[in-house]
Amino acid sequence: SWKSLNEDVITSDGKVTLQPTSQKVTLILKLTLGDETMEKEFTLTTASYVDNHIKVDYAKDFLSSNLVDLEYVDGKIVLKDGKLEGYYESEIYKTRNFTSLVGSWAAISNTQATAELQVRVRVNGTWSKYFSYGTFGLGLQNKMIDQSDINAKLDDDIIVINSGKYADAFQYKIILRRTSETVESAKLSLVAITLQIPNYTYPVDISNLPKKVEYDLPNLYQVDVPEIGNIICSPTSATMILMYYGHKFTDEYPHREVAKLFYDHGNKIYGNWVFNTVGMSAYGEDTYVKRIYSLEELIYHLATVGPVALSIKGNTGRYNTNGHLLVVSGYEITDTTRYILVHDPYLKEVEYKYSEDIFNQVSRNVIYVIEPKVKK
C-alpha cells in the first residue's frame, strides 16, 4: 500500500495535481507478507504547471541550484566575477496543449556583454532541440536564424509546432557572455514564454475599471524617416513607449536611431517582436512579448500596467496591412461601444482611435509589454 504525505499534490492512490511551481512529495510504500511488514520512502518532484498563456520568470524566481557561473545580485542575474560565460537552465514547465510559443527576455546588454535565449518544446513525449533566439547585445549586428527539427521550427521569432501536432511542455536556457573579465556583465531581469493555445479563453473582469484611460505619449510618424520610413513601425512604436518612460535619443529622428539597434540582421527585418522587446530592455526596462486573448485582457493591462505596442494585420478602415505595429495608448468605453486609443505611426496625425469591431478584425493579439518600475 501507498501513503502520500501531501494529498493535495499526489494522492495515496496516485492522482497528481500539478501546481504552478514544482513540489516535492514523500510517498511511503508499505509491503506486507504474512506477519512481516517493511516501509520505504520515496521523494518525488512534480513538474511545474503553467495553467494560462504566459510564464514570466523574474530573476528572483530563478532556482539557485540551476545557476552555472551566474549569481543573483540586486534583482538581476549576472556573471560571477572572473567568468566569461554562464547559463541557467529552467525546470520543465508542463502546459496546456499549444501550437506555438514566443520566448523573450529582458537584459541590460551592450556590444561586449550579451544574452542568448534557447527554448525547446515537448511533442508527443519527445523533446525538440533547443532553438536559439540568437545572441543579443545592444549595438551589435544581432541576428535570428530560422531553425527546424522533426517537432517544430523557429520561424522569425515564433517557435511553431509542426502541422497537426501539439506541444505540452517547454524548457529554456539563458546564456550570458562577455568579451573579457573586466567588462561588466549583462544584467538579466526576466525570461518570458507566451503560448498560442487552441480553443482557449481567458476571462478578465473589467467592470470596476475606469471608463477611460489614456497615456500621453510622444507622436512619432514613421514615414518621416528617409529611406526606411515605410518599414519601421515596430521600432517606432517601441521608441514612443521608451520616450514615454523618460528615455532620450540624439538622432533628430529618434525612431531611426532605435530602428538601427533593433534590426534583425538574420531575417533582415525591423519587426522582429523579440528583438524589439529585448532591445527596449537594454535601456533598463522589464519588457517581453505577450499573447493576449481578448480586448478585455488588453483593457485590464492598460488600466493596471501601462501602454503597449500591438501587432495588427488587415483592413483598419484607414489602410490595409500585411503586418503592422502601433501603440495602444489607452481605451474609452461608451454606452454603445469600446475604443482603443492609439498612437499609430503610419498615420500622419498619429493619434487616433479604433472601434472594438476594428480591433477584433485586425488584432494579432500580440503585444510588447513594458512593466513600469513603480507598479500601479
Side-chain angles (χ1 to χ4, degrees):
S1 62
W2 291 90
K3 180 181 179 182
S4 171
L5 299 188
N6 190 342
E7 293 274 346
D8 291 337
V9 179
I10 303 178
T11 64
S12 295
D13 59 353
K15 293 184 176 65
V16 179
T17 302
L18 294 177
Q19 308 292 321
T21 57
S22 61
Q23 304 288 318
K24 288 188 175 182
V25 181
T26 298
L27 300 178
I28 301 174
L29 170 63
K30 183 177 181 181
L31 298 175
T32 303
L33 179 62
D35 295 331
E36 299 295 324
T37 62
M38 180 176 70
E39 289 189 353
K40 184 172 178 61
E41 291 188 0
F42 297 86
T43 299
L44 306 182
T45 302
T46 65
S48 295
Y49 184 53
V50 180
D51 191 34
N52 57 26
H53 51 287
I54 187 164
K55 174 63 177 177
V56 181
D57 274 346
Y58 296 94
K60 63 180 177 57
D61 302 322
F62 281 26
L63 302 173
S64 58
S65 58
N66 289 16
L67 294 172
V68 178
D69 294 330
L70 301 175
E71 59 184 344
Y72 178 76
V73 178
D74 296 332
K76 313 283 186 184
I77 298 295
V78 298
L79 285 162
K80 288 184 175 179
D81 288 345
K83 300 297 181 181
L84 299 182
E85 180 175 321
Y87 70 90
Y88 173 83
E89 188 170 42
S90 76
E91 57 191 307
I92 292 170
Y93 290 105
K94 178 77 172 65
T95 66
R96 297 167 180 260
N97 288 345
F98 64 91
T99 54
S100 73
L101 69 73
V102 179
S104 53
W105 68 99
I108 299 171
S109 64
N110 54 57
T111 57
Q112 299 182 78
T114 63
E116 175 190 359
L117 177 66
Q118 300 178 358
V119 183
R120 65 175 186 161
V121 295
R122 188 175 67 192
V123 181
N124 294 332
T126 302
W127 283 101
S128 73
K129 70 177 185 179
Y130 267 115
F131 294 101
S132 172
Y133 273 87
T135 298
F136 189 96
L138 191 69
L140 291 174
Q141 290 195 349
N142 304 293
K143 60 183 178 180
M144 203 173 287
I145 299 172
D146 288 354
Q147 303 146 55
S148 64
D149 69 4
I150 61 171
N151 291 307
K153 63 181 179 180
L154 177 63
D155 185 5
D156 289 348
D157 41 18
I158 307 174
I159 296 178
V160 180
I161 312 308
N162 287 345
S163 179
K165 298 180 180 180
Y166 300 96
D168 69 350
F170 67 82
Q171 187 176 26
Y172 69 81
K173 183 184 292 186
I174 188 82
I175 305 166
L176 301 187
R177 300 182 181 93
R178 57 183 164 190
T179 56
S180 74
E181 296 178 13
T182 59
V183 170
E184 188 175 15
S185 172
K187 298 177 181 179
L188 179 75
S189 299
L190 61 86
V191 172
I193 307 291
T194 191
L195 309 174
Q196 185 169 25
I197 304 170
N199 304 314
Y200 168 78
T201 58
Y202 184 70
V204 177
D205 182 8
I206 62 170
S207 59
N208 293 322
L209 296 180
K211 296 299 183 183
K212 184 175 182 180
V213 167
E214 186 171 12
Y215 297 97
D216 185 19
L217 283 90
N219 291 344
L220 294 181
Y221 180 47
Q222 68 182 80
V223 184
D224 276 342
V225 178
E227 298 180 7
I228 60 174
N230 283 323
I231 53 175
I232 59 169
C233 56
S234 182
T236 301
S237 297
T239 305
M240 284 191 273
I241 297 175
L242 284 172
M243 292 176 69
Y244 170 75
Y245 283 106
H247 297 279
K248 301 184 185 302
F249 303 93
T250 57
D251 195 315
E252 65 172 312
Y253 300 114
H255 37 326
R256 177 171 61 185
E257 179 178 335
V258 169
K260 292 177 181 178
L261 294 170
F262 293 4
Y263 185 68
D264 176 357
H265 290 264
N267 293 303
K268 302 187 185 309
I269 55 174
Y270 290 98
N272 183 311
W273 295 336
V274 176
F275 275 8
N276 274 263
T277 58
V278 172
M280 292 165 71
S281 77
Y283 291 90
E285 302 292 346
D286 287 346
T287 56
Y288 50 90
V289 178
K290 182 181 181 181
R291 187 175 291 280
I292 58 173
Y293 282 81
S294 66
L295 177 58
E296 290 80 10
E297 186 178 358
L298 176 61
I299 287 173
Y300 185 85
H301 184 98
L302 291 165
T304 60
V305 182
V308 300
L310 171 71
S311 179
I312 66 170
K313 182 178 181 179
N315 188 348
T316 69
R318 295 291 303 274
Y319 54 83
N320 280 293
T321 175
N322 289 322
H324 180 56
L325 267 291
L326 51 76
V327 175
V328 184
S329 51
Y331 67 86
E332 182 179 0
I333 301 173
T334 70
D335 292 337
T336 57
T337 191
R338 299 181 293 189
Y339 296 93
I340 60 167
L341 310 179
V342 301
H343 280 54
D344 188 335
Y346 195 66
L347 299 178
K348 181 69 174 178
E349 67 272 32
V350 183
E351 294 184 46
Y352 196 67
K353 66 181 180 181
Y354 290 111
S355 69
E356 179 176 1
D357 288 343
I358 293 296
F359 170 84
N360 289 331
Q361 291 174 30
V362 303
S363 175
R364 299 179 70 187
N365 295 323
V366 171
I367 61 175
Y368 298 170
V369 173
I370 182 166
E371 294 186 350
K373 293 181 174 64
V374 179
K375 306 297 183 187
K376 284 179 174 283

